[in-house]
Amino acid sequence: MSIFKALVPKMSLKRPLAIFIMGVSGVGKSTIGSLLAQQLTVPFFDGDDYHPETNITKMKAGSPLNDDDRHPWLTALNKLAKEQLQKNSCIIACSALKESYRTTLHKDIEANVKWVLLDGDYELIHKRLKKRSAHFMPDSLLRSQFDTLEDPIEALKIDITLRPEEIVRVIEEELFEKSEIGVIGMGVMGKSLARNLASNGFSISLFNRHLPGKEENIAAKAVQEFKELSDAKPFDSLQAFVNSLQRPKKLLVMISAGNAIDSIIHELVPLLSQNDVFIDGGNSHYDDTQRRIHLLSESDLHFIGAGISGGEEGALKGPSIMPSGNKEAYKLIRPFLESIAAIDQNNDPCCSYIGPDGSGHFVKMVHNGIEYAEMQLLAEVFEVFRRSGENNDEIATSLEAWKATVNSYLLEITIDILRKKEGNDWLLNKILDKSGNKGTGNWATMASSRLGVPSTMISAALFARYIASFKDERITTSELYATKIAPYRVDTDELRKAYEFARIINHVQGFKLLYEASKAYNWSLNLSDIARIWTNGCIIRSDLMETLVQVLQISKDILLEASFISKIKSLYPSTTKVVSECILHEVPIPCLSEALNYFNGYKTKNSSANLIQAQRDYFGAHTYQRLHDPSGKAYHTIWKNSSTHD
Ligand code: 6PG
């Protein structure tokens, strides 16, 4: 999160910058730095002036500095940059050769730091250094500096064969006339994320395609409509949009998942160059993301798949963000994503690097799977209350009281929905009971099936939506199979306990799916950190998620954690009672009952799977193992006359 919001005089940016002019000795850091500072009327600092005396003595004696020597120097420069940023922008000349040095230099101020690498070949720099007499750096150290330099992909690289005035002009043009990031797609999410980026002081370009008669001047209209976007540059030409971005170019793409992403990649690749980053912020399938990462890497480009949760409001005020792909490339976009993300209880951003490949989109897909089951559980609770004769206001009042024990964003919005009136009636009563879906619940179900993980609550919630979609058939069967159902009044507290139980099982299953995927695909997912970035900004944020951050630090299996064992034991009797009563009274509760069935199955020591194995062996000679033979030997039986073979 950017901590400096002051307006910078002269520059077009809304936040001050510390511009580090970096490179090996002899590239002209001080010359360029002071020229640039004059041009921008901001202070210039030569990093060499901040070396402790011991370092200067060491260098004069011809010995290279080690990392321990450099540490106090880098920390002093970081402190200097922080102090300056409180007042204004500044320019600092500093070699900053290693990534770890740059990490120290930009500590806590990453979003306000820009790197400019003065780039030249050894021979040229060597010649320049030889001409210098007053400098304390002997040219014999130049080779070691070249060897130490770790490629700063985040830096604007400028060829030192240009004249100093030209170099300064390029820096000005790149850093102050061009935009730091571009947003493609001015739909609800794209527009809101663009506004969020602009509110955080980033300079942005906006692109929306031009479809005559359908989508015309969309980006320009967004700039007119929202005051935060008044400095944004709007485009409907992709080439001009790309040209308006600073190098390496960062593009946040917010368009429909699927073919549209492949089409825009196809158009963009010829316009981009090495280290540019394409961020797909939509709900793309993780396999597609994986394929696109490979495709772009062939052109030395980066593709980051970033799951973004929180809907329109989250996108505008702070979503939860789940980015994955090349870890180096993530560093290029980290300041942007972490600045716009929601913050957790400790003020840390609800955004962190998830892992390689399409793991970010996988994690977002599981988020949505959990979301499906959470929504379905609330729908079932609503149905149970309704069958108990309560009206929407009464249900809202009961749910209001539940906030003390089982609060979540989805519970809160459900209460609002239940209370919403249109005329004399509740709006909810006028909504057609056919639920839609955009596919992520389906993908989560397929992924769990592919991995052999029983995410039964996600699939139950998905199939409940599918059942609901067959409205005409439901009308017919409701008449054909009409029965006289005995009146049923649920005990509110017992229903609350069943709901709490089912929510725990939903999270157990969701994190189990993540754990197994991480193992199968070698993603090294940090489950606790994923829970942490789901504590704010996203749709499934809840008190339970806060608790899970700690639990998942200790154990990957929530069901084995002591506090959950006692909690589940205390909720279990009410869950059994509520589920049984609902079934007796014909209330459809696929998710509540699945939570119980899953749990009962999971705690059954000797299951009926022995019969399944025998059946498989009977008709297909698939063999089976025996309980009392730990060797795992395969047995086959001729079942009709009962003879057994090894
Ligand atoms: C979010 C949501 C968001 C959206 C999904 C689910 O995290 O902000 O999950 O991504 O609501 O598209 O949509 P469906 O319910 O239509 O599948």
Side-chain angles (χ1 to χ4, degrees):
M1 179 120 332
S2 172
I3 51 173
F4 304 106
K5 305 276 182 189
L7 204 82
V8 186
K10 183 149 174 136
M11 301 178 191
S12 57
L13 273 178
K14 287 203 191 100
R15 65 192 205 290
L17 293 182
I19 302 172
F20 282 90
I21 311 291
M22 59 169 291
V24 298
S25 284
V27 286
K29 297 188 289 291
S30 306
T31 311
I32 300 301
S34 48
L35 263 181
L36 180 65
Q38 272 172 32
Q39 188 66 23
L40 300 171
T41 57
V42 297
F44 168 70
F45 302 92
D46 193 329
D48 284 346
D49 297 341
Y50 290 77
H51 269 295
E53 203 49 48
T54 45
N55 285 1
I56 296 174
T57 315
K58 203 168 173 184
M59 286 190 282
K60 274 183 178 164
S63 330
L65 300 179
N66 62 33
D67 287 359
D68 288 342
D69 299 326
R70 281 194 177 89
H71 188 71
W73 172 56
L74 297 168
T75 308
L77 290 178
N78 170 256
K79 186 164 167 262
L80 170 73
K82 276 184 191 157
E83 282 163 5
Q84 287 303 312
L85 284 168
Q86 300 287 354
K87 306 178 231 164
N88 199 344
S89 291
C90 65
I91 317 288
I92 301 175
C94 171
S95 50
L97 300 179
K98 280 192 188 177
E99 172 156 3
S100 59
Y101 305 165
R102 297 190 287 274
T103 304
T104 307
L105 289 167
H106 72 203
K107 189 166 182 291
D108 304 327
I109 49 172
E110 199 178 354
N112 294 71
V113 165
K114 296 280 174 191
W115 302 97
V116 176
L117 173 72
L118 300 180
D119 200 16
D121 69 34
Y122 179 83
E123 293 310 326
L124 173 68
I125 299 167
H126 187 251
K127 239 188 252 164
R128 283 191 185 183
L129 271 178
K130 284 211 138 172
K131 283 191 203 151
R132 290 188 188 179
S133 50
H135 200 277
F136 57 74
M137 163 72 75
D139 62 27
S140 57
L141 291 188
L142 184 61
R143 182 54 74 191
S144 94
Q145 291 215 345
F146 263 86
D147 293 344
T148 309
L149 179 63
E150 290 169 357
D151 185 28
I153 62 167
E154 66 275 38
L156 167 65
K157 289 181 190 142
I158 307 186
D159 183 352
I160 57 163
T161 57
L162 292 176
R163 284 185 300 112
E165 298 71 28
E166 284 173 326
I167 293 179
V168 167
R169 180 70 207 126
V170 173
I171 298 173
E172 275 194 291
E173 206 177 272
E174 280 288 324
L175 298 191
F176 301 106
E177 290 166 25
K178 295 193 173 181
S179 304
E180 295 174 280
I181 189 164
V183 182
I184 292 183
M186 290 292 102
V188 172
M189 290 296 280
K191 238 184 324 202
S192 302
L193 289 166
R195 291 172 65 194
N196 189 344
L197 282 162
S199 306
N200 273 281
F202 294 111
S203 59
I204 56 173
S205 289
L206 309 175
F207 170 83
N208 197 87
R209 66 185 172 181
H210 177 86
L211 285 183
K214 287 187 185 150
E215 292 179 41
E216 293 183 353
N217 300 319
I218 300 292
K221 283 180 192 156
V223 168
Q224 277 159 15
E225 192 181 348
F226 301 104
K227 66 176 186 327
E228 311 93 299
L229 295 181
S230 57
D231 293 330
K233 300 186 185 76
F235 296 93
D236 57 10
S237 143
L238 208 50
Q239 174 79 68
F241 166 77
V242 169
N243 289 346
S244 76
L245 300 174
Q246 293 174 15
R247 300 191 311 247
K249 299 176 191 293
K250 295 128 198 133
L251 304 98
L252 174 58
V253 183
M254 298 303 304
I255 61 176
S256 309
N259 293 340
I261 298 280
D262 289 316
S263 305
I264 197 121
I265 288 177
H266 188 71
E267 283 182 77
L268 277 169
V269 167
L271 309 179
L272 299 177
S273 40
Q274 194 185 25
N275 283 332
D276 290 349
V277 195
F278 182 116
I279 312 161
D280 173 10
N283 276 330
S284 288
H285 192 279
Y286 59 100
D287 280 341
D288 285 337
T289 301
Q290 171 73 341
R291 172 174 58 77
R292 289 164 186 153
I293 288 172
H294 280 294
L295 182 74
L296 266 74
S297 72
E298 285 165 10
S299 309
D300 281 335
L301 302 170
H302 303 292
F303 187 94
I304 297 283
I308 301 182
S309 175
E312 183 178 5
E313 200 188 346
L316 185 61
K317 297 182 183 161
S320 168
I321 309 181
M322 296 145 251
S324 72
N326 180 309
K327 200 169 184 178
E328 282 304 298
Y330 175 63
K331 286 183 196 144
L332 292 171
I333 52 164
R334 180 173 58 200
F336 300 94
L337 298 189
E338 295 192 0
S339 295
I340 63 168
I343 48 169
D344 70 10
Q345 275 187 338
N346 298 319
N347 270 350
D348 289 322
C350 290
C351 168
S352 60
Y353 175 74
I354 296 291
D357 310 336
S359 57
H361 276 137
F362 188 96
V363 168
K364 174 60 172 44
M365 176 195 75
V366 176
H367 166 284
N368 282 23
I370 296 172
E371 173 188 298
Y372 272 50
E374 291 285 285
M375 291 165 74
Q376 177 62 27
L377 285 172
L378 282 161
E380 291 174 19
V381 161
F382 164 62
E383 184 63 8
V384 176
F385 273 130
R386 198 157 62 156
R387 299 269 182 121
S388 291
E390 293 198 19
N391 70 32
N392 295 359
D393 276 341
E394 287 163 345
I395 301 172
T397 305
S398 297
L399 295 186
E400 191 76 52
W402 288 15
K403 281 188 186 175
T405 38
V406 280
N407 203 14
S408 70
Y409 167 75
L410 283 168
L411 179 72
E412 283 173 357
I413 68 161
T414 302
I415 295 168
D416 288 347
I417 291 166
L418 285 163
R419 289 189 172 138
K420 184 82 178 168
K421 286 273 182 72
E422 192 182 69
N424 292 329
D425 197 3
W426 290 277
L427 174 57
L428 187 57
N429 296 356
K430 301 178 182 180
I431 295 180
L432 178 66
D433 52 334
K434 269 173 136 177
S435 36
N437 81 91
K438 294 208 185 84
T440 45
N442 177 20
W443 293 345
T445 300
M446 291 197 287
S448 61
S449 165
R450 190 180 186 181
L451 286 159
V453 184
S455 309
T456 54
M457 290 186 67
I458 297 177
S459 53
L462 174 74
F463 294 147
R465 289 195 191 188
Y466 291 174
I467 292 175
S469 71
F470 290 95
K471 175 79 177 174
D472 294 341
E473 288 83 343
R474 286 193 287 117
I475 293 172
T476 311
T477 42
S478 73
E479 284 154 12
L480 283 174
Y481 293 97
T483 48
K484 221 176 152 42
I485 307 166
Y488 168 50
R489 261 210 93 76
V490 73
D491 179 304
T492 304
D493 204 44
E494 286 190 321
L495 180 58
R496 201 255 311 143
K497 286 182 180 162
Y499 170 67
E500 191 174 353
F501 175 92
R503 287 194 63 225
I504 294 172
I505 301 298
N506 181 28
H507 287 73
V508 165
Q509 291 190 350
F511 281 99
K512 169 97 178 142
L513 179 53
L514 290 178
Y515 175 76
E516 296 297 338
S518 179
K519 254 195 341 191
Y521 303 132
N522 289 321
W523 283 340
S524 304
L525 296 181
N526 181 335
L527 299 187
S528 167
D529 200 44
I530 291 170
R532 184 191 67 73
I533 65 171
W534 286 349
T535 57
N536 201 4
C538 71
I539 305 297
I540 58 171
R541 60 188 187 259
S542 69
D543 290 354
L544 173 60
M545 198 64 81
E546 299 275 357
T547 311
L548 292 178
V549 178
Q550 277 88 49
V551 170
L552 289 162
Q553 256 163 16
I554 308 160
S555 161
K556 60 174 176 45
D557 195 338
I558 301 164
L559 280 180
L560 305 185
E561 210 278 327
S563 63
F564 275 87
I565 295 173
S566 51
K567 172 126 262 176
I568 285 172
K569 281 184 178 170
S570 74
L571 300 172
Y572 185 76
S574 298
T575 310
T576 305
K577 185 157 174 249
V578 168
V579 167
S580 315
E581 283 175 352
C582 284
I583 288 171
L584 284 171
H585 292 88
E586 302 179 25
V587 189
I589 44 153
C591 255
L592 278 171
S593 58
E594 190 43 56
L596 193 60
N597 268 325
Y598 173 86
F599 182 70
N600 284 341
Y602 216 74
K603 71 179 182 74
T604 296
K605 191 173 173 188
N606 294 316
S607 78
S608 55
N610 53 353
L611 180 59
I612 304 289
Q613 286 301 80
Q615 289 164 336
R616 291 176 69 239
D617 189 53
Y618 189 116
F619 62 70
H622 294 299
T623 75
Y624 58 90
Q625 292 169 15
R626 282 179 182 255
L627 271 176
H628 301 297
D629 183 352
S631 71
K633 191 166 88 182
Y635 290 84
H636 172 57
T637 298
I638 308 295
W639 289 90
K640 277 214 166 109
N641 57 16
S642 288
S643 70
T644 299
H645 300 278
D646 294 350

